[in-house]
């Protein structure tokens, strides 16, 4: 507990005291006002919880009154603040011991008290001081390479994140998830971010935002994969939807989607976060909820008084994805700042940016082969080279003299390992030129005339298999050959115009029987079932031997999707109207009804950018085709 005396009277480091008090570490002499030992023993169930909630409210009100007295230089204000905090502490400890008592109310009460402190104009230096002391002596590589670590801690709710982590079960559960089943994603996020840091961190520094928050968002959204695209069409390391991207100045320029530019997307993200912090009175949790669930929806839930994210009336009304998203981002930000506290060792990464001019024609794939595992990079350099050169097709050979961004540590390795006369360069060229031999049918069916070709523009999230299924093709190689796509990856990208031949078609039941899906971050089994029109997600669980009752899936898992009880095409087309539910987004509705183009629904209902919808609105749904 840190206590200061100054010209303005008695001041207290609220973040430190609340953290200690709410975690049950404070030594409280006697029961708090309104919560005697007798009343604790006498009450049970709802009655006992109700008395605790009353004590929490009274403590918060007393704290507000004491802060006002302190602002008037009242000499008794300091003791009044301590008394109020003792009351809240005792109520919090009682809540933790009482069945049926909702600890979210404790978090919400704490949140209000922190904001009261800020609005009264308390000494921010005192609030930051405790966290600076807590950082002393840690050997975290983050704290050694980030000179503004204390500032970052201060901006994360003026040190309030420390108490939130200590007392909020949702955040603690998120920390455990990052340290267990999501640990590999956390580690790869850290590595990818260190090489992207020079591109992305300046946007947050210029905006006055904490770098740890940027890392938390990126780790949850994409794991630092610059070319990540979600099923809903969100793209880039920070996953902007197309409409939001246009609103914040991200365009498609010369065929390149600027959402894949980490520097530009970081600028757009920082602008969005600062706008929402202003709209929600610096409420970080509501701001993150708005980033995930939409500002309009979260604003209506929070109301004019900006209710706490953790208040039951807000938290319980949120979609499950948003309830999970906010604590996961906060937990990743906290782990970024304090890995040593959790037996977490981030690798030391030399992310200083550099560049090379190609000495000979080469693709990013060929450079990956000749660089190997230089510098101890166990997974190779493909992801890093792609992230730093997002505008390039990794399979396309770039001419000599092309300037590429690479980590500075690779500049000398490139000159040695990837020189025109290097054996590794020759190997990379040989591998890159290779292609699997075509497999021809014994009696190939006659090809139709060229006039039968159809055109298709690749959309975000498309795969060659998916496009083949959409056009009823038994073999996606028919499309690959018609467009001279290179083996073995047959790379396609959004905006590409494909020629689709009148390929050998297969019955619809065969298409349904061979579907597969790779799980993306944030996916649920129910969501995947909806995406494929399945009425029972247990069909997918059984086909993949998922264990009850959790039916756990994880990002990167390849699922077999059987011909489950699917909604027929005529059923989709017949569902012509839909009443918008709380938490709905236009992209989510489009997915639910199998629409490939969100804009088609918007156009059918006269919606302009950025396609705002509200609960209760009746939407007309066009007869869009299922993907």
């Amino acid at each position: 507990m840190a206590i200061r005396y100054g010209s303005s009277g008695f001041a207290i480091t609220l973040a430190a005291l609340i953290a200690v008090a709410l975690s049950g570490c404070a030594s409280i002499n006697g029961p708090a006002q309104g919560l005697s030992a007798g009343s604790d023993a006498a009450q049970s169930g709802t009655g006992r919880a109700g008395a605790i909630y009353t004590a929490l409210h009274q403590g918060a009100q007393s704290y507000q009154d004491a802060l006002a007295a302190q602002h008037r230089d009242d000499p008794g204000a300091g003791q009044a603040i301590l008394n109020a905090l003792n009351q809240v502490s005792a109520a919090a400890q009682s809540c933790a011991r009482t069945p049926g008592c909702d600890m979210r109310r404790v978090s919400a009460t704490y949140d209000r008290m922190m904001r009261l402190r800020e609005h009264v104009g308390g000494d921010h230096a005192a609030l930051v001081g405790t966290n600076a002391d807590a950082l002393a002596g840690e050997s975290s590589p983050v704290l050694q390479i980030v000179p503004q670590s204390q500032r970052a801690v201060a901006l994360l709710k003026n040190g309030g994140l420390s108490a939130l982590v200590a007392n909020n079960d949702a955040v603690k559960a998120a920390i455990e998830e990052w340290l267990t089943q999501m640990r590999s994603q956390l580690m790869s996020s850290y590595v990818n971010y260190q090489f992207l840091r020079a591109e992305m961190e300046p946007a947050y520094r210029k905006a006055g935002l904490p770098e740890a928050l940027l890392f938390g968002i990126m780790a949850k959204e994409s794991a630092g994969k610059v070319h990540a695209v979600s099923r809903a069409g969100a793209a880039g390391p920070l996953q902007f939807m197309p409409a939001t991207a246009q609103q914040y100045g991200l365009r498609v320029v010369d065929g390149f989607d600027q959402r894949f530019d980490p520097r530009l997307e970081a600028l757009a993200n920082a602008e969005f976060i600062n706008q929402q912090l202003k709209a929600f009175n610096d409420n970080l949790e509501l701001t993150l909820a708005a980033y995930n669930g939409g500002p309009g929806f979260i604003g209506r839930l929070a109301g004019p008084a900006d209710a706490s994210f953790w208040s039951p009336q807000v938290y319980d009304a949120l979609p499950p994805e948003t309830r999970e998203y906010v604590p996961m981002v906060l937990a990743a930000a906290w782990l970024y700042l304090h890995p040593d506290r959790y037996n977490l060792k981030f690798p030391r990464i030399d992310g200083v940016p550099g560049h090379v001019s190609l000495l000979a024609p080469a693709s990013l794939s060929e450079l990956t082969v000749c660089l190997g595992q230089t510098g101890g990079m166990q997974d190779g350099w493909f992801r890093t080279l792609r992230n730093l050169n997002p505008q390039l097709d990794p399979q396309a050979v770039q001419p000599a003299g092309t300037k590429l961004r690479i980590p500075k540590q690779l500049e000398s390795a490139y000159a040695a390992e990837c020189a025109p006369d290097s054996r590794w360069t020759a190997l990379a060229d040989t591998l890159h030129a290779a292609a699997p031999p075509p497999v021809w049918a014994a009696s190939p069916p006659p090809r139709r005339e060229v006039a039968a070709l159809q055109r298709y523009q690749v959309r975000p999230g498309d795969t060659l298999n998916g496009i083949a299924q959409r056009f009823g093709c038994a073999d996606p190689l028919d499309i690959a050959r018609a467009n001279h796509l290179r083996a073995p990856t047959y790379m396609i990208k959004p905006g590409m115009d494909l020629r689709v031949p009148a390929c050998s078609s297969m019955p619809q039941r065969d298409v349904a029987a061979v579907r597969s899906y790779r799980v993306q971050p944030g996916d649920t089994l129910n969501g995947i079932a909806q995406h494929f029109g399945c009425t029972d997600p247990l069909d997918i669980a059984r086909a993949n031997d998922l264990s009850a009752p959790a039916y756990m899936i994880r990002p990167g898992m390849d699922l077999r999707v059987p011909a489950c009880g699917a909604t027929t095409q005529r059923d989709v087309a017949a569902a012509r109207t839909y009443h918008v539910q709380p938490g709905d987004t236009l992209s989510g509705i489009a997915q639910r009804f199998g629409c490939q183009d969100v804009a088609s629904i918007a156009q059918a209902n006269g919606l302009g950018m950025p396609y705002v919808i509200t609960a209760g609105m009746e939407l007309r749904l066009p007869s869009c085709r299922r993907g």
Side-chain angles (χ1 to χ4, degrees), residues 4-11 69-74 77 117 121 123:
R4 298 195 315 108
Y5 291 88
S7 59
S8 61
F10 185 81
Q70 183 190 57
H71 195 62
R72 298 192 302 267
D73 291 336
D74 187 328
R117 175 70 181 180
D123 189 342

Side-chain angles (χ1 to χ4, degrees), residues 131 183 222 300 355 500:
N131 288 284
R183 194 183 191 98
S222 70
R300 289 190 294 274
H355 70 274
V500 182

